[in-house]
Amino acid sequence: MVKWLRHSTSGMVITTLLRLYVGFLWIGDGWSKVSKGFDATGFITNAIKNR
């Protein structure tokens, strides 16, 4: 399977498209955290409580 992904043209295209899609999702999520604000108080509170 890995050999097919690395050495076939269609495998490379599929992998590239998947990586671009995931990258755009991550960029969009990161941008929303920057523009809308990010609040981690719930995470921090639970991390301290369950320590």
Side-chain angles (χ1 to χ4, degrees):
M1 180 73 173
V2 174
K3 185 177 179 181
W4 175 78
L5 284 173
R6 290 187 180 176
H7 297 291
S8 76
T9 305
S10 59
M12 287 186 231
V13 169
I14 291 169
T15 305
T16 301
L17 292 174
L18 182 64
R19 292 177 74 184
L20 286 171
Y21 175 72
V22 171
F24 280 123
L25 288 178
W26 285 348
I27 288 171
D29 288 343
W31 181 252
S32 69
K33 286 180 183 179
V34 169
S35 63
K36 297 178 184 174
F38 178 69
D39 185 23
T41 55
F43 174 76
I44 294 170
T45 304
N46 286 331
I48 292 171
K49 188 182 352 176
N50 294 328
R51 186 176 161 222

Coordinates of all heavy atoms in Angstrom, one line a residue:
M1 N 0.8 -1.2 0.0 CA 0.0 0.0 0.0 C 0.9 1.3 0.0 O 0.6 2.2 -0.8 CB -0.9 0.0 1.2 CG -1.8 1.1 1.3 SD -3.1 1.0 0.1 CE -4.1 2.4 0.6
V2 N 1.9 1.3 0.9 CA 2.7 2.5 0.9 C 3.5 2.6 -0.3 O 3.7 3.7 -0.8 CB 3.7 2.4 2.2 CG1 4.7 3.5 2.2 CG2 2.8 2.4 3.5
K3 N 4.0 1.5 -0.9 CA 4.7 1.5 -2.1 C 3.9 2.1 -3.3 O 4.3 2.9 -4.1 CB 5.2 0.1 -2.5 CG 6.1 0.0 -3.7 CD 6.6 -1.4 -4.0 CE 7.5 -1.4 -5.2 NZ 7.9 -2.7 -5.5
W4 N 2.6 1.7 -3.3 CA 1.7 2.2 -4.3 C 1.5 3.7 -4.1 O 1.5 4.5 -5.1 CB 0.3 1.5 -4.2 CG -0.7 2.1 -5.1 CD1 -0.8 1.9 -6.5 CD2 -1.7 3.0 -4.8 NE1 -1.8 2.6 -7.0 CE2 -2.4 3.3 -6.0 CE3 -2.2 3.7 -3.7 CZ2 -3.5 4.2 -6.1 CZ3 -3.2 4.5 -3.7 CH2 -3.9 4.8 -4.9
L5 N 1.3 4.2 -2.9 CA 1.2 5.7 -2.7 C 2.4 6.4 -3.1 O 2.3 7.6 -3.6 CB 0.9 5.9 -1.2 CG -0.5 5.6 -0.7 CD1 -0.6 5.8 0.8 CD2 -1.6 6.4 -1.4
R6 N 3.6 5.9 -2.9 CA 4.8 6.6 -3.2 C 5.2 6.6 -4.7 O 5.8 7.5 -5.2 CB 5.9 6.1 -2.3 CG 5.8 6.4 -0.9 CD 7.0 6.0 -0.1 NE 6.8 6.4 1.3 CZ 7.6 6.1 2.2 NH1 8.8 5.5 1.9 NH2 7.4 6.5 3.5
H7 N 4.9 5.5 -5.3 CA 5.4 5.3 -6.7 C 4.4 5.4 -7.8 O 4.8 5.4 -9.0 CB 6.1 3.9 -6.8 CG 7.3 3.8 -5.9 ND1 8.4 4.6 -6.1 CD2 7.5 3.1 -4.7 CE1 9.3 4.3 -5.1 NE2 8.7 3.4 -4.3
S8 N 3.1 5.5 -7.5 CA 2.1 5.6 -8.6 C 1.7 7.1 -8.7 O 1.6 7.8 -7.6 CB 0.9 4.7 -8.4 OG 0.1 5.2 -7.4
T9 N 1.4 7.5 -9.8 CA 1.0 8.9 -10.0 C -0.3 9.2 -9.4 O -0.5 10.2 -8.7 CB 0.9 9.2 -11.5 OG1 2.2 8.9 -12.1 CG2 0.6 10.7 -11.8
S10 N -1.3 8.3 -9.5 CA -2.6 8.5 -8.9 C -2.5 8.5 -7.4 O -3.2 9.2 -6.7 CB -3.6 7.4 -9.4 OG -3.1 6.1 -9.0
G11 N -1.6 7.6 -6.8 CA -1.5 7.6 -5.4 C -0.9 9.0 -4.9 O -1.3 9.5 -3.8
M12 N 0.1 9.5 -5.6 CA 0.7 10.8 -5.3 C -0.4 11.9 -5.4 O -0.4 12.8 -4.5 CB 1.8 11.1 -6.2 CG 3.1 10.3 -5.8 SD 4.4 10.8 -6.8 CE 5.0 9.3 -7.5
V13 N -1.2 11.9 -6.4 CA -2.2 12.9 -6.5 C -3.2 12.8 -5.4 O -3.6 13.8 -4.8 CB -2.9 12.8 -7.9 CG1 -4.2 13.6 -8.0 CG2 -2.0 13.1 -9.0
I14 N -3.7 11.6 -5.1 CA -4.6 11.4 -4.0 C -4.0 11.9 -2.6 O -4.7 12.6 -1.9 CB -5.1 10.0 -3.9 CG1 -5.9 9.6 -5.1 CG2 -5.8 9.7 -2.6 CD1 -6.2 8.1 -5.2
T15 N -2.8 11.5 -2.4 CA -2.1 12.0 -1.2 C -2.0 13.5 -1.1 O -2.2 14.1 -0.1 CB -0.8 11.3 -1.0 OG1 -0.9 9.9 -1.1 CG2 -0.1 11.6 0.3
T16 N -1.6 14.1 -2.2 CA -1.4 15.5 -2.2 C -2.7 16.2 -2.0 O -2.8 17.2 -1.2 CB -0.8 16.0 -3.6 OG1 0.4 15.3 -3.8 CG2 -0.6 17.4 -3.7
L17 N -3.8 15.8 -2.6 CA -5.1 16.4 -2.4 C -5.6 16.3 -1.0 O -6.1 17.2 -0.4 CB -6.1 15.8 -3.4 CG -5.9 16.2 -4.9 CD1 -6.9 15.4 -5.7 CD2 -6.0 17.7 -5.1
L18 N -5.4 15.1 -0.4 CA -5.7 14.9 1.0 C -4.9 15.8 1.9 O -5.5 16.4 2.8 CB -5.5 13.4 1.4 CG -5.9 13.0 2.8 CD1 -7.4 13.2 3.0 CD2 -5.5 11.6 3.0
R19 N -3.6 15.9 1.7 CA -2.8 16.8 2.5 C -3.2 18.3 2.4 O -3.2 19.0 3.3 CB -1.3 16.6 2.2 CG -0.8 15.2 2.6 CD 0.6 15.1 2.2 NE 1.4 15.8 3.1 CZ 2.7 16.0 2.9 NH1 3.4 15.4 1.9 NH2 3.4 16.7 3.8
L20 N -3.5 18.7 1.2 CA -4.0 20.1 1.0 C -5.3 20.3 1.7 O -5.5 21.4 2.3 CB -4.1 20.4 -0.5 CG -2.8 20.6 -1.3 CD1 -3.1 20.6 -2.8 CD2 -2.1 21.8 -0.8
Y21 N -6.2 19.4 1.6 CA -7.5 19.5 2.3 C -7.4 19.7 3.8 O -7.9 20.6 4.4 CB -8.4 18.3 1.9 CG -9.7 18.3 2.6 CD1 -10.7 19.2 2.3 CD2 -10.0 17.4 3.6 CE1 -11.9 19.3 3.0 CE2 -11.2 17.4 4.3 CZ -12.2 18.3 4.0 OH -13.3 18.3 4.6
V22 N -6.6 18.8 4.4 CA -6.3 18.8 5.8 C -5.6 20.1 6.2 O -5.9 20.7 7.2 CB -5.5 17.6 6.3 CG1 -5.1 17.7 7.7 CG2 -6.4 16.3 6.1
G23 N -4.7 20.5 5.4 CA -4.0 21.8 5.6 C -4.9 23.0 5.6 O -4.8 23.9 6.5
F24 N -5.8 23.0 4.7 CA -6.8 24.1 4.6 C -7.7 24.1 5.8 O -8.1 25.2 6.4 CB -7.6 24.1 3.3 CG -6.8 24.7 2.2 CD1 -6.6 24.0 1.0 CD2 -6.4 26.0 2.2 CE1 -5.9 24.5 0.0 CE2 -5.7 26.6 1.1 CZ -5.5 25.8 0.0
L25 N -8.1 22.9 6.3 CA -8.9 22.8 7.5 C -8.2 23.4 8.7 O -8.7 24.1 9.5 CB -9.3 21.4 7.8 CG -10.3 20.7 6.8 CD1 -10.6 19.3 7.2 CD2 -11.6 21.5 6.9
W26 N -6.9 23.0 8.9 CA -6.1 23.5 10.0 C -5.9 25.0 9.9 O -6.0 25.7 10.9 CB -4.7 22.8 10.0 CG -4.8 21.4 10.5 CD1 -5.9 20.8 11.1 CD2 -3.8 20.4 10.4 NE1 -5.6 19.5 11.4 CE2 -4.3 19.2 11.0 CE3 -2.5 20.4 9.9 CZ2 -3.6 18.1 11.1 CZ3 -1.8 19.2 10.0 CH2 -2.3 18.1 10.6
I27 N -5.7 25.5 8.7 CA -5.5 27.0 8.6 C -6.8 27.7 9.0 O -6.8 28.7 9.6 CB -5.0 27.3 7.2 CG1 -3.6 26.9 6.9 CG2 -5.2 28.8 6.9 CD1 -3.1 27.0 5.5
G28 N -7.9 27.1 8.5 CA -9.2 27.8 8.8 C -9.5 27.7 10.3 O -10.0 28.7 10.9
D29 N -9.2 26.6 11.0 CA -9.4 26.5 12.4 C -8.5 27.5 13.2 O -8.9 28.1 14.1 CB -9.2 25.1 12.9 CG -10.3 24.2 12.5 OD1 -11.4 24.7 12.1 OD2 -10.1 22.9 12.5
G30 N -7.2 27.5 12.7 CA -6.3 28.5 13.4 C -6.7 29.9 13.2 O -6.6 30.7 14.1
W31 N -7.2 30.2 12.0 CA -7.6 31.6 11.7 C -8.8 32.0 12.6 O -8.9 33.1 13.1 CB -7.9 31.8 10.3 CG -8.3 33.2 10.0 CD1 -9.6 33.6 9.7 CD2 -7.5 34.4 10.0 NE1 -9.6 35.0 9.5 CE2 -8.3 35.5 9.7 CE3 -6.2 34.6 10.3 CZ2 -7.9 36.8 9.7 CZ3 -5.7 35.9 10.3 CH2 -6.5 37.0 10.0
S32 N -9.7 31.0 12.8 CA -10.9 31.3 13.6 C -10.5 31.5 15.1 O -11.1 32.4 15.8 CB -12.0 30.3 13.5 OG -11.5 29.1 14.1
K33 N -9.5 30.8 15.5 CA -9.0 31.1 16.9 C -8.3 32.4 17.0 O -8.5 33.1 18.1 CB -8.0 30.0 17.3 CG -8.6 28.6 17.6 CD -7.6 27.6 18.0 CE -8.2 26.3 18.2 NZ -7.2 25.2 18.5
V34 N -7.6 32.9 16.0 CA -7.0 34.2 16.1 C -8.0 35.3 16.0 O -8.0 36.3 16.7 CB -6.0 34.3 14.9 CG1 -5.5 35.7 14.8 CG2 -4.8 33.4 15.2
S35 N -9.0 35.2 15.0 CA -9.9 36.2 14.8 C -11.1 36.3 15.8 O -11.5 37.4 16.1 CB -10.5 36.1 13.4 OG -11.2 34.9 13.2
K36 N -11.5 35.1 16.3 CA -12.7 35.1 17.2 C -12.3 35.0 18.6 O -13.1 35.0 19.5 CB -13.6 34.0 16.8 CG -14.2 34.1 15.5 CD -15.1 32.9 15.1 CE -15.7 33.0 13.7 NZ -16.4 31.9 13.3
G37 N -11.0 34.7 18.9 CA -10.5 34.5 20.2 C -10.5 33.1 20.6 O -11.3 32.3 20.1
F38 N -9.7 32.7 21.5 CA -9.5 31.4 22.0 C -9.6 31.3 23.5 O -8.8 32.1 24.2 CB -8.2 30.8 21.5 CG -8.0 29.4 21.9 CD1 -8.7 28.3 21.5 CD2 -7.0 29.1 22.9 CE1 -8.5 27.0 21.9 CE2 -6.8 27.8 23.3 CZ -7.5 26.8 22.8
D39 N -10.5 30.5 24.0 CA -10.6 30.5 25.5 C -10.3 29.0 26.0 O -11.0 28.1 25.6 CB -12.0 30.9 25.9 CG -12.3 30.9 27.4 OD1 -11.3 31.1 28.1 OD2 -13.4 30.8 27.8
A40 N -9.3 28.9 26.7 CA -8.9 27.6 27.2 C -9.1 27.4 28.7 O -8.5 26.5 29.3 CB -7.4 27.3 26.9
T41 N -9.9 28.2 29.3 CA -10.1 28.2 30.7 C -10.7 26.8 31.2 O -10.3 26.3 32.2 CB -11.0 29.3 31.2 OG1 -12.3 29.3 30.5 CG2 -10.4 30.6 31.0
G42 N -11.6 26.3 30.4 CA -12.2 25.0 30.8 C -11.2 23.9 30.8 O -11.1 23.0 31.6
F43 N -10.3 23.9 29.7 CA -9.3 22.9 29.6 C -8.3 23.0 30.8 O -7.9 22.0 31.4 CB -8.5 23.0 28.3 CG -7.3 22.1 28.2 CD1 -7.5 20.8 27.9 CD2 -6.1 22.7 28.4 CE1 -6.4 20.0 27.9 CE2 -4.9 21.8 28.3 CZ -5.1 20.5 28.0
I44 N -7.9 24.2 31.1 CA -6.9 24.5 32.2 C -7.5 24.1 33.5 O -6.9 23.5 34.4 CB -6.4 25.9 32.1 CG1 -5.6 26.2 30.9 CG2 -5.6 26.3 33.4 CD1 -5.3 27.6 30.6
T45 N -8.8 24.5 33.8 CA -9.4 24.1 35.0 C -9.5 22.6 35.2 O -9.2 22.1 36.3 CB -10.8 24.7 35.0 OG1 -10.8 26.1 34.8 CG2 -11.5 24.5 36.4
N46 N -9.9 21.9 34.2 CA -10.0 20.4 34.3 C -8.6 19.8 34.4 O -8.4 18.8 35.1 CB -10.7 19.8 33.1 CG -12.2 20.1 33.2 OD1 -12.8 20.2 34.3 ND2 -12.8 20.2 32.1
A47 N -7.6 20.4 33.8 CA -6.2 19.8 33.9 C -5.7 20.0 35.3 O -5.1 19.1 35.9 CB -5.3 20.5 32.9
I48 N -6.0 21.1 35.9 CA -5.6 21.3 37.3 C -6.3 20.5 38.3 O -5.8 19.9 39.2 CB -5.7 22.8 37.7 CG1 -4.7 23.6 36.9 CG2 -5.5 23.0 39.2 CD1 -4.9 25.1 37.0
K49 N -7.6 20.3 38.0 CA -8.5 19.5 38.9 C -8.1 18.1 38.9 O -8.1 17.4 39.9 CB -10.0 19.7 38.6 CG -10.9 19.1 39.5 CD -12.4 19.2 39.2 CE -12.8 20.0 38.0 NZ -14.2 20.0 37.7
N50 N -7.8 17.5 37.7 CA -7.5 16.1 37.5 C -6.0 15.8 37.6 O -5.6 14.7 37.2 CB -8.0 15.6 36.2 CG -9.5 15.7 36.1 OD1 -10.2 15.5 37.1 ND2 -10.1 16.0 34.9
R51 N -5.3 16.7 38.1 CA -3.8 16.5 38.3 C -3.5 15.5 39.2 O -3.3 14.7 39.8 CB -3.2 17.8 38.7 CG -1.7 17.8 38.7 CD -1.2 19.1 39.1 NE 0.2 18.9 39.5 CZ 0.7 19.5 40.5 NH1 0.1 20.3 41.2 NH2 1.9 19.2 40.9

